[in-house]
């Protein structure tokens, strides 16, 4: 059996990114945190924390920290008819940036008692965090559940390819042709973001090589498009006002792209996260496109 004061110290260091911050969270001294980590590393026989600014967990450290969080979540679900202490339980979730910027936060706000640790990743890759055992749940782009997880359909997020009127006149005077796509600057969130590439291929009828600005901000995408920096795929809920007032136009009219999303949650922690799952599902049904 592991000493859970040591495991809690490990989880806090990885979550907070440092020994001092972890000590503040747990109400102990930094030297106590350091001693607990040292004893735990001696017990398991490997380094668990990469010291630095910030501190990060090794593969073994992240696995132990996730185990600790799972145990704390399962303990939270126990009900012996005795009032429980009002403690906050860490829960790590992988989510795509656009969901975080548009609909997920109200769902998280609907559930008390958790300390959220949100990992931002593309919806086509967020399930990888579940496969690695590093998160308890994820907003994913694939329906098939990761082994050991349950999958719930959330609906689809609708995107519009948008740009400013001046941008379209300057870069795509003849419309979104394959040649124009390969000259006109687009935007991408990061190296995993394929929305622009996939949409342009559909419109052009062939694969196109897009010149791309890299801009890791959902709200920044909308503003950059408005300022004529490039064109990009923006969630309907973030760009509908700009489309309505003419600050933005569709690169190709009446050609939205619907991206289905799924809530995948580990079966080990599904019970203690049931209220969160309910809140996520309810909020998604209000905002995302649902099948008839």
């Amino acid at each position: 059996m592991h000493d859970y004061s040591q495991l809690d110290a490990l989880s806090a260091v990885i979550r907070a990114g440092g020994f001092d911050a972890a000590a503040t969270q747990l109400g102990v001294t930094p030297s106590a945190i350091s001693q607990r980590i040292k004893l735990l590393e001696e017990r398991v026989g490997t380094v668990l924390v990469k010291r630095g600014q910030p501190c990060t967990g090794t593969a073994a450290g992240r696995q132990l920290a996730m185990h600790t969080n799972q145990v704390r979540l399962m303990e939270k679900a126990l009900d012996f008819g005795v009032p429980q202490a009002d403690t906050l339980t860490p829960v790590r979730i992988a989510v795509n940036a656009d969901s975080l910027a548009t609909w997920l936060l109200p769902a998280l706000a609907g559930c008390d008692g958790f300390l959220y640790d949100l990992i931002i990743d593309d919806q086509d890759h967020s399930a990888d965090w579940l496969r690695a055992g590093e998160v308890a749940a994820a907003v994913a782009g694939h329906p098939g559940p990761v082994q050991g997880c349950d999958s719930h359909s959330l609906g689809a997020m609708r995107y519009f390819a948008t740009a400013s009127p001046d941008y379209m006149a300057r870069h795509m005077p003849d419309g979104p042709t394959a040649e124009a796509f390969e000259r006109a600057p687009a935007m991408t969130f990061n190296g995993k973001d394929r929305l622009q590439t996939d949409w342009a291929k559909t419109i052009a009828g062939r694969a196109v090589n897009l010149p791309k600005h890299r801009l890791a901000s959902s709200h920044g995408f909308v503003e950059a498009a408005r300022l004529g920096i490039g064109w990009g795929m923006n969630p309907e809920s973030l760009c509908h006002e700009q489309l309505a007032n003419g600050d933005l136009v569709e690169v190709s009219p009446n050609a939205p792209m619907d991206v289905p999303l799924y809530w995948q949650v580990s079966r080990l922690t599904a019970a203690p996260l049931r209220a969160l799952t309910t809140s996520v599902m309810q909020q998604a049904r209000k905002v995302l496109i649902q099948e008839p």
Side-chain angles (χ1 to χ4, degrees):
M1 295 292 292
H2 289 294
D3 182 327
Y4 273 87
S5 69
Q6 297 171 5
L7 290 174
D8 286 338
L10 172 66
S11 179
V13 168
I14 293 175
R15 184 171 62 253
F19 285 64
D20 289 348
T24 299
Q25 285 188 8
L26 296 182
V28 298
T29 64
S31 61
I33 295 291
S34 180
Q35 181 68 11
R36 291 175 189 182
I37 298 296
K38 178 183 177 182
L39 290 173
L40 184 59
E41 288 179 331
E42 290 176 352
R43 180 178 178 83
V44 300
T46 189
V47 175
L48 300 174
V49 175
K50 297 178 184 177
R51 276 71 170 175
Q53 296 295 330
C55 292
T56 58
T58 64
R62 294 194 304 272
Q63 185 177 7
L64 270 177
M66 186 60 196
H67 165 76
T68 306
N69 293 339
Q70 287 175 336
V71 170
R72 294 307 186 208
L73 280 170
M74 288 185 285
E75 287 176 346
K76 189 181 185 72
L78 294 175
D79 182 5
F80 297 111
V82 178
Q84 301 295 308
D86 187 17
T87 57
L88 297 173
T89 305
V91 57
R92 206 172 195 211
I93 302 168
V95 58
N96 61 311
D98 288 337
S99 289
L100 184 61
T102 54
W103 66 270
L104 184 65
L105 285 178
L108 302 185
C111 287
D112 295 328
F114 295 112
L115 278 178
Y116 295 113
D117 183 1
L118 302 181
I119 306 301
I120 311 303
D121 205 347
D122 186 87
Q123 64 271 0
D124 290 334
H125 297 269
S126 56
D128 293 340
W129 293 86
L130 275 169
R131 291 187 185 92
E134 294 194 25
V135 298
V139 176
H142 298 291
V146 173
Q147 184 175 2
C149 297
D150 294 322
S151 179
H152 308 271
S153 176
L154 294 172
M157 181 172 288
R158 175 158 290 176
Y159 288 84
F160 287 102
T162 59
S164 71
D166 288 345
Y167 174 96
M168 292 300 296
R170 184 169 70 254
H171 292 288
M172 297 186 183
D174 299 321
T177 63
E179 293 73 21
F181 277 131
E182 293 184 334
R183 293 192 308 267
M187 294 181 290
T188 188
F189 193 87
N190 56 30
K192 297 177 180 179
D193 179 9
R194 291 194 52 83
L195 288 181
Q196 286 70 219
T197 298
D198 292 345
W199 183 85
K201 180 179 179 181
T202 299
I203 299 302
R206 67 170 176 85
V208 290
N209 185 23
L210 302 177
K212 300 171 185 174
H213 301 291
R214 185 171 292 209
L215 181 60
S217 167
S218 297
H219 290 92
F221 250 56
V222 178
E223 183 64 5
R226 188 187 70 82
L227 294 172
I229 293 174
W231 73 270
M233 305 298 294
N234 282 309
E236 181 179 19
S237 59
L238 291 185
C239 67
H240 67 93
E241 290 185 8
Q242 292 84 350
L243 287 171
N245 65 26
D247 285 347
L248 291 176
V249 295
E250 292 183 61
V251 175
S252 181
N254 303 313
M257 183 180 194
D258 291 344
V259 177
L261 296 173
Y262 303 86
W263 175 251
Q264 296 207 35
V265 59
S266 168
R267 293 190 190 114
L268 282 175
T269 54
L273 292 179
R274 187 173 293 116
L276 177 59
T277 294
T278 299
S279 184
V280 166
M281 298 293 294
Q282 289 175 344
Q283 184 63 26
R285 291 191 183 105
K286 294 178 184 177
V287 178
L288 301 181
I289 297 171
Q290 305 297 315
E291 293 184 0

